Amino acid sequence: MKNNIRVERAILRITQQQLAEMIGVSRQTINAIESEKYVPSTVLALKIAKVCNKQVNDIFFLEDTD
């Protein structure tokens, strides 16, 4: 699964640390999600989408191999 969290953070001008604090996870978790090393839970994906004021599928994208 791909995502554009990094782009959304840039638009909002927030750091990984700030996003992490807003949704109650570690900066390392945000980094792992952005690097596509970790697939977030549904709850976490919804929290990220809410912070970005977007729908979940505006931020997370399935790949053909998913």
Side-chain angles (χ1 to χ4, degrees):
M1 182 166 64
K2 293 191 159 290
N3 69 76
N4 62 6
I5 296 173
R6 187 168 292 138
V7 171
E8 295 298 330
R9 279 193 313 99
I11 292 169
L12 294 173
R13 298 180 185 211
I14 59 174
T15 65
Q16 287 183 342
Q17 182 66 43
Q18 290 170 318
L19 177 58
E21 291 171 2
M22 294 169 91
I23 62 173
V25 297
S26 69
R27 184 198 58 77
Q28 290 82 1
T29 298
I30 299 300
N31 184 54
I33 295 169
E34 282 189 3
S35 303
E36 299 169 2
K37 295 178 181 170
Y38 174 73
V39 176
S41 68
T42 303
V43 171
L44 190 51
L46 287 166
K47 286 181 177 181
I48 292 169
K50 184 175 181 181
V51 167
C52 298
N53 198 27
K54 301 274 182 165
Q55 299 294 315
V56 171
N57 60 356
D58 292 333
I59 297 174
F60 297 96
F61 310 83
L62 288 176
E63 297 178 279
D64 290 339
T65 56
D66 289 333

